């Protein structure tokens, strides 16, 4: 397990281009495997998670070639997937497992889905429940955890009122709905990222969006001519990866950083609004649209961040950025308080516990709560470098690499390679823009 040492920095400057968006890459790869013909997906995420999706789609019969950052996927249509003898391995990726469960529920064969030890601890009942309602026969360990055994078959449409605000659950039901008889709808309790809806439309599915309700027409309902078409697509950079650089630049008054080609889908940009509300200096440049998604450059200048409370419907919109926000807490004026975020406990790690533990290692004052945490502000100059234990969680490793830049003395990130789950070149790109 490779350690990385991060030394305090004076400032940040230069330019960064984050890897392709992880959420969009998963969806394009799955839909390309269900389409007819060869799709070309440029700037496909380098993330290990998306490699897991590519491997699964390959095992299910799609031809997959990955060269530099372009994935070429040949699908054989909505009825073109084949059964596999071996269990499909989603690795560390919750998105792979949950979205694929939706697709597999609608196939005329049985499959097994498994993942690494972290993924095997994450709740799957949230997708298993609605997929069973649609008619799938699914077995799960303790009725909630992977490995999953999915006996797919003819599904019927449901109107699903989603109890947790989860884009993965919404997507699993919509993808199953694609194979069902009738029109499936999902109503979310709060907005979550809408890449599945956008991608489904892009590949040619019939989908409607009415506020928080999304409907998809299934192919098993006299919609026999329904097909997905191969597409040639450019994937925007991942804003959730860019956020580590944005946060880093915010910590140094004379920092000046340009983030190129980053996804600015409005269901993802709440983090930029939050930074701006806290006093960050951000400017969006060259904003353009790309296959239903929005892309642009973001210029960041250093500023003093106020901090504040993040809660309620804001939470699902910044769910992946909460580790970075919490780790910035000590450097803000009022500190950072996160409420209503018990979902953080069932991510790649228990992120509330991981944040509290590592912040304390650096000397921060933290109150841990069941659904969030409060990190005291005005600790700049007091935080010290420490040995960070990321618990195998990519976002914890990267958040503390950033927090370490403004601490006293060096910080060691244990098992720093886990950053590769979303951002394999993070540390290589981090060094050239940090002036130590
Ligand atoms: C994702 C949705 C979010 C997010 C995850 C990626 C997606 O999970 O945390 O990193 O691609 O749909 P939930 O939908 O479970 O909150």
């Amino acid at each position: 397990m490779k350690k990385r040492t991060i030394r305090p920095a004076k400032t940040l400057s230069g330019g960064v281009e984050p890897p392709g968006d992880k959420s969009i890459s998963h969806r394009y790869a799955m839909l390309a495997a269900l389409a007819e013909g060869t799709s070309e997906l440029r700037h496909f995420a380098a993330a290990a998670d998306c490699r897991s999706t590519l491997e699964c789609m390959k095992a299910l019969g799609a031809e997959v070639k990955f060269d530099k950052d372009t994935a070429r996927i040949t699908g054989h249509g909505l009825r073109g997937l084949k059964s596999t003898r071996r269990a499909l391995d989603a690795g560390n990726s919750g998105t792979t497992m949950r979205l694929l469960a939706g697709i597999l529920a609608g196939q005329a064969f049985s499959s097994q889905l498994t993942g690494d030890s972290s993924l095997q601890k994450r709740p799957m009942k949230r997708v298993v429940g609605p997929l069973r309602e649609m008619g799938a026969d699914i077995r799960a360990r303790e009725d909630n955890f992977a490995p999953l055994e999915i006996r797919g078959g003819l599904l019927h449409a449901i109107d699903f009122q989603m109890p947790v605000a989860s884009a993965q659950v919404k997507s699993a039901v919509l993808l199953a709905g694609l194979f069902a008889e009738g029109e499936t709808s999902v109503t979310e309790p709060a907005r979550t990222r809408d890449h599945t809806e956008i991608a489904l439309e892009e590949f040619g599915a019939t989908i409607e969006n009415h506020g928080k309700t999304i409907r998809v027409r299934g192919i098993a309902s006299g919609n026999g001519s329904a097909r997905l078409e191969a597409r040639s697509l450019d994937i925007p950079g991942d804003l959730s990866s860019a956020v580590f650089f944005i946060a880093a630049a915010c910590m140094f008054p004379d920092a000046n950083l340009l983030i190129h080609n980053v996804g600015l889908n409005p269901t993802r940009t709440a983090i930029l609004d939050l930074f701006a509300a806290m006093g960050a200096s951000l400017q969006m440049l060259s904003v353009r649209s790309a296959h239903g998604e929005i892309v642009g450059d973001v210029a960041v200048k250093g500023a003093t961040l106020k901090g504040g409370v993040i809660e309620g419907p804001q939470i699902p919109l910044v769910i992946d950025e909460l580790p970075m926000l919490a780790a910035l807490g000590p450097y803000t004026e009022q500190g950072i308080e996160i409420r209503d975020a018990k979902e953080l406990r069932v991510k790649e790690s228990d992120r509330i516990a991981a944040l509290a533990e590592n912040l304390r290692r650096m000397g921060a004052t933290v109150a841990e709560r069941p659904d969030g945490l409060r990190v005291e502000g005005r600790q700049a100059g007091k935080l010290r470098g420490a040995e960070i234990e990321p618990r195998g969680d990519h976002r914890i490793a990267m958040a503390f690499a950033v927090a370490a830049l403004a601490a006293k003395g060096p910080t060691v990130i244990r098992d720093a390679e886990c950053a590769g789950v979303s951002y394999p070149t993070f540390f290589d790109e981090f060094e050239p823009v940090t002036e130590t």
Side-chain angles (χ1 to χ4, degrees), residues 418-431:
C418 68
V421 159
S422 61
Y423 202 162
T425 55
F426 172 75
F427 289 100
D428 305 333
E429 279 161 48
F430 192 61
E431 268 164 31

Side-chain angles (χ1 to χ4, degrees), residues 82-286:
K82 292 196 191 75
S83 69
T84 58
R85 244 173 297 137
R86 276 209 276 154
L88 295 158
D89 186 359
N92 191 245
S93 173
T95 310
T96 308
M97 181 165 289
R98 295 194 178 116
L99 271 59
L100 209 45
I103 292 174
L104 294 172
Q107 306 306 310
F109 53 80
S110 299
S111 324
Q112 279 157 16
L113 254 176
T114 191
D116 69 7
S117 59
S118 147
L119 188 52
Q120 289 190 33
K121 289 189 204 109
R122 298 181 62 189
M124 293 298 146
K125 190 73 187 262
R126 52 181 66 193
V127 288
V128 168
L131 296 176
R132 278 183 184 151
E133 262 184 65
M134 296 177 83
D137 177 4
I138 307 184
R139 314 262 151 102
R141 185 174 51 84
E142 293 169 38
D143 211 34
N144 193 16
F145 303 103
L148 305 180
E149 195 181 325
I150 303 175
R151 296 181 191 172
L154 186 63
L155 303 181
H156 51 83
I158 56 168
D159 291 314
F160 184 55
Q161 301 284 333
M162 194 164 61
V164 268
S166 160
Q168 295 178 351
V169 176
K170 168 177 67 176
S171 304
V173 175
L174 291 175
L175 289 168
L178 195 56
F179 295 95
E181 201 168 9
E183 198 173 83
T184 296
S185 77
V186 181
T187 303
E188 348 186 49
R191 286 301 297 279
T192 65
R193 65 191 70 189
D194 63 357
H195 304 300
T196 301
E197 298 89 300
I198 294 173
L200 276 167
E201 187 151 27
E202 197 56 36
F203 278 84
T206 310
I207 184 135
E208 276 172 48
N209 213 322
H210 302 284
K212 289 184 187 143
T213 300
I214 306 105
R215 293 177 188 284
V216 67
R217 180 126 40 92
I219 53 168
S221 49
N223 194 13
S225 61
R227 57 196 288 268
L228 300 186
E229 272 175 49
R231 303 283 291 117
S232 171
L233 302 166
D234 294 292
I235 297 169
D238 198 322
L239 179 58
S240 301
S241 298
V243 154
F244 297 106
F245 288 94
I246 296 174
C250 283
M251 295 195 306
F252 299 93
D254 55 349
N256 205 339
L257 203 63
L258 187 60
I259 323 261
H260 298 277
N261 185 29
V262 63
L264 296 173
N265 175 315
T267 61
R268 297 284 294 280
T269 51
I271 184 63
L272 299 181
D273 301 336
L274 250 172
F275 270 124
M278 288 191 210
S281 161
L282 301 174
Q283 210 186 343
M284 290 186 211
L285 308 162
S286 318

Side-chain angles (χ1 to χ4, degrees), residues 22-23 27 95 98 126 165-168 193 319-320 343 347 395:
K22 190 156 84 73
S23 291
R27 287 151 171 87
T95 310
R98 295 194 178 116
R126 52 181 66 193
S166 160
Q168 295 178 351
R193 65 191 70 189
I319 190 77
D320 290 340
E343 272 296 296
K347 289 291 177 188
R395 296 199 202 279

Side-chain angles (χ1 to χ4, degrees), residues 29-43:
M30 290 181 193
L31 294 178
L34 294 170
E36 288 168 27
T38 303
S39 292
E40 186 173 286
L41 311 177
R42 290 176 295 273
H43 200 38

